[in-house]
Amino acid sequence: MTKYPPRSEIVMQNPSSSHRKVVLVTGASSGIGEASARHLAAAGHHVVLGARRVDRLIQLVSELTEAGHDAEYAQLDVTDFESVKAFVEGALTRHGRVDVLVNNAGVMPLALMQDLRVDEWNQMIDVNLRGVLHGIAAVLPGMRERQSGHIINVASTAAHRADPTGVVYCATKFAVRAVSDGLRQETTDLRVTVVCPGLTRTELTHSGGDEQVQGAVRTALDAVGISPSAIAEAIGYAVAQPANVNVNEIIVQGTAQV
């Protein structure tokens, strides 16, 4: 069920400012999504946050509104197109437009292909790729009608290389990068950005996959991983550019990552 905080609980920041945008963020309950919500809200934008873990969204929206920012939430499952459409249509009903969509939701259960974790392969395809396509399909008609909008897809440095323990994960991120570049070339009205984070300290390695492989990645994260806030700032940079400037792709990784 979609739930929103009462309008009395939403604090408006710089509502008349021309730079203020309505920004939808998927996978906003933790990691890069949460960091992006905090960064964009602090920049004066109205953030609409979606994820499955509503309890975390409630807490995040409470923190943001108490700090004087403008935020709301809705339960969201990016693998379900009806859920994504409701998420977008709710924002359109309340605000009249969606200026930016940050397609961030993702999963990363790493393992060798020989382990034949087919259910996890399908999960990655459903969340990492189909979820991005659902988001695009939900916002694209309105953006094209307005001849204005910005779609930001979070991929990975895994969109530039294949690793033996992350073959399907890499495949989904390669696909997200291809979708982003192709969509960008379809129109001269909309902006499309793909953001490729390197090793980032999030919860991606905390569920699924081969425990030995995931443990090795967590060890690498401790050594060379960067904060989700670094990715959020890159997203904020792309959002802040003038309407006639498109940041095609941003790759962000720790200095120590090779």
Side-chain angles (χ1 to χ4, degrees):
M1 179 180 295
T2 302
K3 296 182 179 179
Y4 303 98
R7 291 298 301 172
S8 61
E9 294 181 9
I10 298 177
V11 179
M12 306 294 283
Q13 178 174 348
N14 299 328
S16 63
S17 175
S18 61
H19 84 282
R20 181 177 178 276
K21 298 177 180 179
V22 177
V23 183
L24 276 56
V25 183
T26 74
S29 61
S30 66
I32 292 170
E34 178 186 349
S36 297
R38 294 183 185 278
H39 182 80
L40 293 168
H45 301 298
H46 180 113
V47 295
V48 183
L49 311 181
R52 292 179 300 170
R53 295 178 293 187
V54 174
D55 56 331
R56 292 195 177 191
L57 294 180
I58 292 172
Q59 178 61 36
L60 177 55
V61 166
S62 176
E63 291 178 16
L64 292 174
T65 55
E66 287 176 7
H69 306 316
D70 195 357
E72 59 189 89
Y73 72 90
Q75 187 174 36
L76 173 66
D77 179 356
V78 298
T79 69
D80 180 351
F81 187 40
E82 293 303 315
S83 176
V84 179
K85 285 196 295 184
F87 179 59
V88 173
E89 289 169 2
L92 288 171
T93 297
R94 293 186 304 280
H95 308 293
R97 70 186 197 278
V98 171
D99 297 305
V100 182
L101 169 66
V102 181
N103 261 325
N104 165 73
V107 293
M108 191 180 72
L110 301 177
L112 292 170
M113 289 202 75
Q114 67 187 22
D115 293 346
L116 300 180
R117 294 174 177 258
V118 177
D119 288 345
E120 291 182 345
W121 298 352
N122 289 329
Q123 180 192 26
M124 284 185 279
I125 293 169
D126 287 343
V127 177
N128 298 355
L129 178 55
R130 189 169 284 114
V132 165
L133 294 173
H134 286 167
I136 292 171
V139 301
L140 193 56
M143 288 183 174
R144 288 189 64 85
E145 182 178 355
R146 292 179 56 234
Q147 296 184 308
S148 176
H150 193 177
I151 296 172
I152 299 175
N153 297 324
V154 178
S156 168
T157 51
H160 291 264
R161 55 178 287 178
D163 296 310
T165 56
V167 173
V168 178
Y169 177 76
C170 293
T172 63
K173 295 304 185 177
F174 267 83
V176 168
R177 185 165 170 249
V179 166
S180 302
D181 195 44
L183 177 61
R184 177 186 60 80
Q185 295 178 63
E186 281 190 11
T187 175
T188 59
D189 299 319
L190 308 184
R191 301 194 294 169
V192 182
T193 301
V194 59
V195 178
C196 295
L199 288 170
T200 307
R201 297 189 186 99
T202 70
E203 298 178 0
L204 278 181
T205 60
H206 292 184
S207 62
D210 178 88
E211 180 54 36
Q212 185 175 356
V213 173
Q214 298 287 65
V217 175
R218 288 193 291 271
T219 298
L221 285 171
D222 290 339
V224 301
I226 58 177
S227 168
S229 63
I231 313 303
E233 290 178 12
I235 290 172
Y237 169 79
V239 170
Q241 299 309 300
N244 66 335
V245 175
N246 191 81
V247 179
N248 294 11
E249 182 174 11
I250 304 177
I251 301 174
V252 184
Q253 66 181 38
T255 306
Q257 183 180 344
V258 297

